[in-house]
Amino acid sequence: MLAVKARTVCLFVIGLFLIYLSPNWYVLYYELLIVAFMLIGWAQAKIGRVERSRAELFLIFLDLALLTVVLVVPNPWDPRPWSAALQFKFGNFPYFFILLAAATLAYSWRTLVPVVFITAILWMGGYFWASYQPSDIAELSDKVGMALEGYPNILHFVDPGNIPIEPRIQEVLIFTIVAFILALNGWRTNQLLVRQAEAARGRANLSRHFPPNIVDNLAERDQPLGEVREQRVAVLFADIVGFTKMAETETPDRIVSVLRDFHSRMESCVFENGGTLDKFLGDGLMATFGTPETTPQDAENALKCSVAMQRHMSRWNEERKKAGLMPIRLSVGIHYGSVVLGDIGSERRLEYAVLGDVVNVASRLEASTREMKANIVVSSELMDAAGGEQMAKKLGFVENGSQTIRGRGGGVTTWLHLITEPAS
């Protein structure tokens, strides 16, 4: 349709130009032919199927044949004496380039081959046809021959009854070269589009396994995410409480269905709050906020993500209750501090890892939710970075004092988001 619209505009411009060039009533002959070209163009959009129908080739032939007739056959409505040979004196062959340009928009690059072949056959056929047509101005040729006697080279081109073949060959040759260049460009564009589609498909597939911000970061780099480095990050662990016991009474299909639903809901919470989904851990997950690049809102985003997770779980439990299913309880632990992160592994298989004490503490905080009767347990480091007491009050957290963390020497001051619904 784009090609047809462009072609229609070009034909309209040519129609106006012809009226300016020949403001006589017999120019209507060419105006009617322009309408015919427009109809052929719209037929191409309605009937033609790129590279898949004979109708396409027929319409291409009709286009080129009509243009050949227009350029070679004199206007039958024009009362002035004329000849078919004189038609070639106008040098109207460039009009074929308009159809060639439209073909590059409407058809595959392969279709330019028959366009060139048909044009060459028709144009040279028109040349030989015109060479044998009688002329209404034969006496003029005799007078010109007498005037240019002794100048055969000039007479060869000036004689109104003679059509030099050299310019015709040149026209077809240049047309073929231009068509070849356009076809080559079309082929290259097609290859680039295919590669872009493959890259987009690969990027979409990566997004199913890696966080979108990691995929975006990788796509913008020529090298992996970088050397191992240290930066401040919020680490969040979330887990379904009592999942092992739940799995004992459910079928494998039901368990997989529950996990997929759970992962989908939690994943959206992480991404909507600017987090990176580091990995799924069976009935749980690990997410980071501040990777691969840090922002001032990392701790706050992690805190809001944990609250959003609990809200999603509440809605999900309402749906499960209506379906006669047991509610599911989610526990979340978050810590904030310096971690070591970067690419680890071999050249063939790299993994973007987040390591350090912050990861271990966040995991222990998640596990402590059972004994603390809380849905969410976060460290004071996280709460301070997220906005302190004001943010805690806003989101419904209460301070719980220092708690001993298994495997860690010092205690951790924690904030709790208490359970507001039964765990069973």
Side-chain angles (χ1 to χ4, degrees), residues 59-79:
L59 291 171
I60 290 174
F61 174 80
L62 196 60
D63 236 354
L64 297 171
L66 182 58
L67 183 58
T68 302
V69 170
V70 172
L71 300 183
V72 174
V73 178
N75 185 346
W77 296 356
D78 192 341

PDB file of all heavy atoms in Angstrom, residues 59-79:
ATOM      1  N   LEU A  59       0.659  -8.203 -13.791  1.00  0.00           N
ATOM      2  CA  LEU A  59       0.476  -6.771 -13.528  1.00  0.00           C
ATOM      3  C   LEU A  59       1.763  -5.997 -13.793  1.00  0.00           C
ATOM      4  O   LEU A  59       1.721  -4.849 -14.259  1.00  0.00           O
ATOM      5  CB  LEU A  59      -0.002  -6.563 -12.097  1.00  0.00           C
ATOM      6  CG  LEU A  59      -1.426  -7.047 -11.800  1.00  0.00           C
ATOM      7  CD1 LEU A  59      -1.721  -6.992 -10.312  1.00  0.00           C
ATOM      8  CD2 LEU A  59      -2.443  -6.206 -12.561  1.00  0.00           C
ATOM      9  N   ILE A  60       2.894  -6.605 -13.486  1.00  0.00           N
ATOM     10  CA  ILE A  60       4.177  -5.970 -13.796  1.00  0.00           C
ATOM     11  C   ILE A  60       4.328  -5.807 -15.306  1.00  0.00           C
ATOM     12  O   ILE A  60       4.723  -4.748 -15.810  1.00  0.00           O
ATOM     13  CB  ILE A  60       5.350  -6.800 -13.220  1.00  0.00           C
ATOM     14  CG1 ILE A  60       5.359  -6.716 -11.686  1.00  0.00           C
ATOM     15  CG2 ILE A  60       6.684  -6.316 -13.772  1.00  0.00           C
ATOM     16  CD1 ILE A  60       6.388  -7.610 -11.035  1.00  0.00           C
ATOM     17  N   PHE A  61       4.020  -6.869 -16.038  1.00  0.00           N
ATOM     18  CA  PHE A  61       4.086  -6.806 -17.497  1.00  0.00           C
ATOM     19  C   PHE A  61       3.132  -5.747 -18.048  1.00  0.00           C
ATOM     20  O   PHE A  61       3.489  -4.972 -18.950  1.00  0.00           O
ATOM     21  CB  PHE A  61       3.745  -8.174 -18.096  1.00  0.00           C
ATOM     22  CG  PHE A  61       3.637  -8.167 -19.594  1.00  0.00           C
ATOM     23  CD1 PHE A  61       4.781  -8.215 -20.381  1.00  0.00           C
ATOM     24  CD2 PHE A  61       2.397  -8.089 -20.212  1.00  0.00           C
ATOM     25  CE1 PHE A  61       4.680  -8.191 -21.768  1.00  0.00           C
ATOM     26  CE2 PHE A  61       2.291  -8.060 -21.601  1.00  0.00           C
ATOM     27  CZ  PHE A  61       3.436  -8.109 -22.377  1.00  0.00           C
ATOM     28  N   LEU A  62       1.913  -5.696 -17.490  1.00  0.00           N
ATOM     29  CA  LEU A  62       0.925  -4.716 -17.953  1.00  0.00           C
ATOM     30  C   LEU A  62       1.421  -3.299 -17.714  1.00  0.00           C
ATOM     31  O   LEU A  62       1.273  -2.410 -18.559  1.00  0.00           O
ATOM     32  CB  LEU A  62      -0.400  -4.958 -17.213  1.00  0.00           C
ATOM     33  CG  LEU A  62      -1.660  -4.306 -17.791  1.00  0.00           C
ATOM     34  CD1 LEU A  62      -1.906  -4.804 -19.199  1.00  0.00           C
ATOM     35  CD2 LEU A  62      -2.857  -4.588 -16.897  1.00  0.00           C
ATOM     36  N   ASP A  63       2.013  -3.066 -16.576  1.00  0.00           N
ATOM     37  CA  ASP A  63       2.584  -1.765 -16.241  1.00  0.00           C
ATOM     38  C   ASP A  63       3.624  -1.343 -17.273  1.00  0.00           C
ATOM     39  O   ASP A  63       3.579  -0.246 -17.851  1.00  0.00           O
ATOM     40  CB  ASP A  63       3.254  -1.870 -14.862  1.00  0.00           C
ATOM     41  CG  ASP A  63       2.697  -0.846 -13.884  1.00  0.00           C
ATOM     42  OD1 ASP A  63       1.896  -0.001 -14.291  1.00  0.00           O
ATOM     43  OD2 ASP A  63       3.090  -0.893 -12.704  1.00  0.00           O
ATOM     44  N   LEU A  64       4.600  -2.218 -17.495  1.00  0.00           N
ATOM     45  CA  LEU A  64       5.720  -1.893 -18.378  1.00  0.00           C
ATOM     46  C   LEU A  64       5.279  -1.807 -19.840  1.00  0.00           C
ATOM     47  O   LEU A  64       5.780  -0.972 -20.597  1.00  0.00           O
ATOM     48  CB  LEU A  64       6.818  -2.941 -18.211  1.00  0.00           C
ATOM     49  CG  LEU A  64       7.438  -3.008 -16.800  1.00  0.00           C
ATOM     50  CD1 LEU A  64       8.347  -4.214 -16.674  1.00  0.00           C
ATOM     51  CD2 LEU A  64       8.193  -1.723 -16.470  1.00  0.00           C
ATOM     52  N   ALA A  65       4.333  -2.674 -20.221  1.00  0.00           N
ATOM     53  CA  ALA A  65       3.838  -2.638 -21.608  1.00  0.00           C
ATOM     54  C   ALA A  65       3.093  -1.340 -21.885  1.00  0.00           C
ATOM     55  O   ALA A  65       3.268  -0.711 -22.947  1.00  0.00           O
ATOM     56  CB  ALA A  65       2.930  -3.845 -21.865  1.00  0.00           C
ATOM     57  N   LEU A  66       2.272  -0.912 -20.926  1.00  0.00           N
ATOM     58  CA  LEU A  66       1.526   0.333 -21.103  1.00  0.00           C
ATOM     59  C   LEU A  66       2.472   1.516 -21.189  1.00  0.00           C
ATOM     60  O   LEU A  66       2.282   2.429 -22.017  1.00  0.00           O
ATOM     61  CB  LEU A  66       0.539   0.512 -19.947  1.00  0.00           C
ATOM     62  CG  LEU A  66      -0.363   1.756 -20.019  1.00  0.00           C
ATOM     63  CD1 LEU A  66      -1.191   1.748 -21.300  1.00  0.00           C
ATOM     64  CD2 LEU A  66      -1.262   1.850 -18.787  1.00  0.00           C
ATOM     65  N   LEU A  67       3.504   1.523 -20.377  1.00  0.00           N
ATOM     66  CA  LEU A  67       4.464   2.629 -20.421  1.00  0.00           C
ATOM     67  C   LEU A  67       5.212   2.632 -21.753  1.00  0.00           C
ATOM     68  O   LEU A  67       5.486   3.703 -22.319  1.00  0.00           O
ATOM     69  CB  LEU A  67       5.451   2.523 -19.257  1.00  0.00           C
ATOM     70  CG  LEU A  67       6.465   3.663 -19.151  1.00  0.00           C
ATOM     71  CD1 LEU A  67       5.764   5.014 -19.023  1.00  0.00           C
ATOM     72  CD2 LEU A  67       7.408   3.444 -17.975  1.00  0.00           C
ATOM     73  N   THR A  68       5.541   1.442 -22.268  1.00  0.00           N
ATOM     74  CA  THR A  68       6.226   1.372 -23.569  1.00  0.00           C
ATOM     75  C   THR A  68       5.350   1.955 -24.674  1.00  0.00           C
ATOM     76  O   THR A  68       5.829   2.718 -25.528  1.00  0.00           O
ATOM     77  CB  THR A  68       6.582  -0.088 -23.890  1.00  0.00           C
ATOM     78  OG1 THR A  68       7.399  -0.627 -22.846  1.00  0.00           O
ATOM     79  CG2 THR A  68       7.339  -0.173 -25.210  1.00  0.00           C
ATOM     80  N   VAL A  69       4.075   1.623 -24.635  1.00  0.00           N
ATOM     81  CA  VAL A  69       3.139   2.170 -25.630  1.00  0.00           C
ATOM     82  C   VAL A  69       3.069   3.686 -25.510  1.00  0.00           C
ATOM     83  O   VAL A  69       3.083   4.414 -26.520  1.00  0.00           O
ATOM     84  CB  VAL A  69       1.736   1.541 -25.444  1.00  0.00           C
ATOM     85  CG1 VAL A  69       0.712   2.276 -26.307  1.00  0.00           C
ATOM     86  CG2 VAL A  69       1.769   0.062 -25.790  1.00  0.00           C
ATOM     87  N   VAL A  70       2.982   4.186 -24.301  1.00  0.00           N
ATOM     88  CA  VAL A  70       2.894   5.634 -24.077  1.00  0.00           C
ATOM     89  C   VAL A  70       4.109   6.350 -24.651  1.00  0.00           C
ATOM     90  O   VAL A  70       3.996   7.416 -25.277  1.00  0.00           O
ATOM     91  CB  VAL A  70       2.752   5.943 -22.573  1.00  0.00           C
ATOM     92  CG1 VAL A  70       2.870   7.443 -22.315  1.00  0.00           C
ATOM     93  CG2 VAL A  70       1.427   5.427 -22.045  1.00  0.00           C
ATOM     94  N   LEU A  71       5.309   5.761 -24.457  1.00  0.00           N
ATOM     95  CA  LEU A  71       6.539   6.432 -24.860  1.00  0.00           C
ATOM     96  C   LEU A  71       6.881   6.241 -26.334  1.00  0.00           C
ATOM     97  O   LEU A  71       7.554   7.087 -26.931  1.00  0.00           O
ATOM     98  CB  LEU A  71       7.704   5.917 -23.993  1.00  0.00           C
ATOM     99  CG  LEU A  71       7.575   6.138 -22.476  1.00  0.00           C
ATOM    100  CD1 LEU A  71       8.828   5.656 -21.774  1.00  0.00           C
ATOM    101  CD2 LEU A  71       7.310   7.602 -22.151  1.00  0.00           C
ATOM    102  N   VAL A  72       6.423   5.135 -26.931  1.00  0.00           N
ATOM    103  CA  VAL A  72       6.828   4.822 -28.310  1.00  0.00           C
ATOM    104  C   VAL A  72       5.770   5.217 -29.336  1.00  0.00           C
ATOM    105  O   VAL A  72       6.092   5.723 -30.415  1.00  0.00           O
ATOM    106  CB  VAL A  72       7.157   3.315 -28.425  1.00  0.00           C
ATOM    107  CG1 VAL A  72       7.438   2.939 -29.883  1.00  0.00           C
ATOM    108  CG2 VAL A  72       8.355   2.965 -27.544  1.00  0.00           C
ATOM    109  N   VAL A  73       4.498   5.007 -29.005  1.00  0.00           N
ATOM    110  CA  VAL A  73       3.424   5.273 -29.975  1.00  0.00           C
ATOM    111  C   VAL A  73       3.007   6.741 -29.886  1.00  0.00           C
ATOM    112  O   VAL A  73       2.711   7.246 -28.801  1.00  0.00           O
ATOM    113  CB  VAL A  73       2.217   4.365 -29.699  1.00  0.00           C
ATOM    114  CG1 VAL A  73       1.085   4.667 -30.681  1.00  0.00           C
ATOM    115  CG2 VAL A  73       2.629   2.904 -29.785  1.00  0.00           C
ATOM    116  N   PRO A  74       2.958   7.460 -31.006  1.00  0.00           N
ATOM    117  CA  PRO A  74       2.538   8.874 -30.986  1.00  0.00           C
ATOM    118  C   PRO A  74       1.093   9.011 -30.506  1.00  0.00           C
ATOM    119  O   PRO A  74       0.264   8.100 -30.663  1.00  0.00           O
ATOM    120  CB  PRO A  74       2.690   9.316 -32.436  1.00  0.00           C
ATOM    121  CG  PRO A  74       3.673   8.363 -33.027  1.00  0.00           C
ATOM    122  CD  PRO A  74       3.438   7.060 -32.349  1.00  0.00           C
ATOM    123  N   ASN A  75       0.781  10.165 -29.944  1.00  0.00           N
ATOM    124  CA  ASN A  75      -0.570  10.463 -29.474  1.00  0.00           C
ATOM    125  C   ASN A  75      -1.531  10.476 -30.661  1.00  0.00           C
ATOM    126  O   ASN A  75      -1.432  11.326 -31.543  1.00  0.00           O
ATOM    127  CB  ASN A  75      -0.564  11.827 -28.774  1.00  0.00           C
ATOM    128  CG  ASN A  75      -1.916  12.169 -28.149  1.00  0.00           C
ATOM    129  OD1 ASN A  75      -2.929  11.530 -28.434  1.00  0.00           O
ATOM    130  ND2 ASN A  75      -1.922  13.193 -27.314  1.00  0.00           N
ATOM    131  N   PRO A  76      -2.490   9.545 -30.723  1.00  0.00           N
ATOM    132  CA  PRO A  76      -3.399   9.504 -31.882  1.00  0.00           C
ATOM    133  C   PRO A  76      -4.342  10.695 -31.941  1.00  0.00           C
ATOM    134  O   PRO A  76      -4.968  10.937 -32.979  1.00  0.00           O
ATOM    135  CB  PRO A  76      -4.162   8.188 -31.667  1.00  0.00           C
ATOM    136  CG  PRO A  76      -4.106   7.947 -30.192  1.00  0.00           C
ATOM    137  CD  PRO A  76      -2.781   8.483 -29.738  1.00  0.00           C
ATOM    138  N   TRP A  77      -4.501  11.408 -30.830  1.00  0.00           N
ATOM    139  CA  TRP A  77      -5.393  12.580 -30.820  1.00  0.00           C
ATOM    140  C   TRP A  77      -4.688  13.859 -31.239  1.00  0.00           C
ATOM    141  O   TRP A  77      -5.330  14.894 -31.409  1.00  0.00           O
ATOM    142  CB  TRP A  77      -5.986  12.763 -29.428  1.00  0.00           C
ATOM    143  CG  TRP A  77      -6.871  11.628 -28.996  1.00  0.00           C
ATOM    144  CD1 TRP A  77      -7.238  10.549 -29.739  1.00  0.00           C
ATOM    145  CD2 TRP A  77      -7.520  11.478 -27.735  1.00  0.00           C
ATOM    146  NE1 TRP A  77      -8.065   9.731 -29.038  1.00  0.00           N
ATOM    147  CE2 TRP A  77      -8.267  10.270 -27.787  1.00  0.00           C
ATOM    148  CE3 TRP A  77      -7.559  12.226 -26.563  1.00  0.00           C
ATOM    149  CZ2 TRP A  77      -9.018   9.813 -26.720  1.00  0.00           C
ATOM    150  CZ3 TRP A  77      -8.313  11.782 -25.480  1.00  0.00           C
ATOM    151  CH2 TRP A  77      -9.040  10.583 -25.561  1.00  0.00           C
ATOM    152  N   ASP A  78      -3.379  13.802 -31.373  1.00  0.00           N
ATOM    153  CA  ASP A  78      -2.601  14.983 -31.738  1.00  0.00           C
ATOM    154  C   ASP A  78      -2.694  15.195 -33.246  1.00  0.00           C
ATOM    155  O   ASP A  78      -2.256  14.334 -34.042  1.00  0.00           O
ATOM    156  CB  ASP A  78      -1.147  14.798 -31.322  1.00  0.00           C
ATOM    157  CG  ASP A  78      -0.352  16.100 -31.403  1.00  0.00           C
ATOM    158  OD1 ASP A  78      -0.803  17.034 -32.105  1.00  0.00           O
ATOM    159  OD2 ASP A  78       0.712  16.176 -30.766  1.00  0.00           O
ATOM    160  N   PRO A  79      -3.275  16.305 -33.709  1.00  0.00           N
ATOM    161  CA  PRO A  79      -3.464  16.537 -35.160  1.00  0.00           C
ATOM    162  C   PRO A  79      -2.175  16.905 -35.894  1.00  0.00           C
ATOM    163  O   PRO A  79      -2.139  16.886 -37.127  1.00  0.00           O
ATOM    164  CB  PRO A  79      -4.479  17.688 -35.191  1.00  0.00           C
ATOM    165  CG  PRO A  79      -4.223  18.446 -33.922  1.00  0.00           C
ATOM    166  CD  PRO A  79      -3.822  17.418 -32.905  1.00  0.00           C
TER     167      PRO A  79
END
